[in-house]
Amino acid sequence: MKTKIVYVLVSTDNDIYAEQAFVSMFSLRHFNKDAYIVLLTDSLTAATFTGLRKNMISYANEIVTVELSSNLTGQQRSRQLKTSVRNLVDGDFLFIDCDTIVTKDISCIDNITADIAACRDTHSAFLDNPYRERCLKYGHFLKWPIDEEKDYFNSGVIFVKDVPATRMFYQKWNSNLNAGYKRKVYMDQPSFAKTNYEMRHVIQHLPDE
């Protein structure tokens, strides 16, 4: 597998995010022996990688540590990293949220030709999305015509090629995330959707499986 696998981990001793990442990386490695795993984290989290927690991240081939303000909450630090991955990690990658379990060989991702691809949220058309009303509410808060969208993509698994357009996408995504905080939108998926709209729907469909 040539495509890197990227996780973002922000965690303390008082949560289970590191344990989730460990299980996800284990499942990935079980079915994909040659996977190259990049763990993107912040300095506060990296300082906790001792003892058992150090063992839990041992499946990662590379750890990238970013200095972020300690005034940010863990959730804010995690989403700052997630919306900046493309400009912090070089090479084509598949981003995977830490709560994802891999159940088979996924080396076929090397054959994806899209610059950026994701699955539709709930694997359905936006009109049939059971969370449509909530999505519409957040879209209106972010001030864009979400009502006209046919697809609303999930940001938990994203394939991203290393090209200028995707680096620009991530710059805009991070900017939209931070603008959303001012309008009380704290999730990263609404700003992901708005960025796709602003970039003329650059996101293509990732195979559902």
Side-chain angles (χ1 to χ4, degrees):
M1 185 189 304
K2 297 179 181 178
T3 306
K4 296 178 179 179
I5 308 297
V6 178
Y7 290 91
V8 166
L9 175 62
V10 172
S11 176
T12 70
D13 293 323
N14 299 316
D15 59 52
I16 61 170
Y17 297 123
E19 287 82 354
Q20 285 183 330
F22 167 72
V23 174
S24 184
M25 288 189 288
F26 173 84
S27 68
L28 171 67
R29 187 73 74 192
H30 179 73
F31 292 102
N32 303 267
K33 306 296 184 185
D34 63 341
Y36 188 89
I37 301 174
V38 179
L39 185 65
L40 179 62
T41 189
D42 69 305
S43 56
L44 291 176
T45 301
T48 72
F49 292 157
T50 60
L52 180 60
R53 287 174 67 82
K54 183 177 181 179
N55 292 334
M56 284 192 291
I57 63 165
S58 62
Y59 285 108
N61 299 90
E62 179 182 352
I63 298 175
V64 177
T65 303
V66 178
E67 190 74 34
L68 294 175
S69 172
S70 59
N71 294 325
L72 298 176
T73 67
Q75 181 188 83
Q76 289 172 327
R77 283 182 280 128
S78 176
R79 288 174 181 169
Q80 289 298 324
L81 292 176
K82 180 175 178 177
T83 59
S84 302
V85 175
R86 174 66 288 163
N87 296 300
L88 296 170
V89 176
D90 293 331
D92 300 347
F93 66 74
L94 183 73
F95 167 81
I96 300 179
D97 266 342
C98 288
D99 60 355
T100 304
I101 300 298
V102 179
T103 62
K104 67 176 184 179
D105 181 343
I106 58 170
S107 58
C108 59
I109 60 174
D110 287 345
N111 301 323
I112 295 174
T113 59
D115 284 348
I116 182 168
C119 292
R120 294 184 298 182
D121 193 45
T122 72
H123 298 283
S124 62
F126 188 38
L127 190 62
D128 300 320
N129 189 314
Y131 305 108
R132 178 180 170 84
E133 291 305 314
R134 184 176 68 178
C135 297
L136 289 173
K137 180 180 73 172
Y138 289 142
H140 295 154
F141 285 165
L142 294 181
K143 300 184 181 301
W144 64 284
I146 186 174
D147 310 68
E148 301 174 10
E149 293 297 295
K150 295 181 179 179
D151 291 321
Y152 185 85
F153 290 98
N154 188 284
S155 61
V157 178
I158 314 170
F159 174 82
V160 190
K161 281 196 176 296
D162 193 348
V163 295
T166 57
R167 289 183 177 270
M168 181 182 297
F169 183 100
Y170 271 75
Q171 288 176 349
K172 286 180 176 288
W173 186 11
N174 182 257
S175 178
N176 284 332
L177 173 79
N178 289 316
Y181 285 152
K182 298 175 182 178
R183 299 186 176 103
K184 298 184 178 182
V185 179
Y186 305 112
M187 301 170 65
D188 59 76
Q189 198 158 279
S191 53
F192 185 61
K194 180 179 180 179
T195 305
N196 186 44
Y197 165 76
E198 291 177 336
M199 296 282 292
R200 299 184 178 181
H201 301 95
V202 65
I203 300 176
Q204 296 186 37
H205 288 256
L206 192 68
D208 287 314
E209 71 277 12

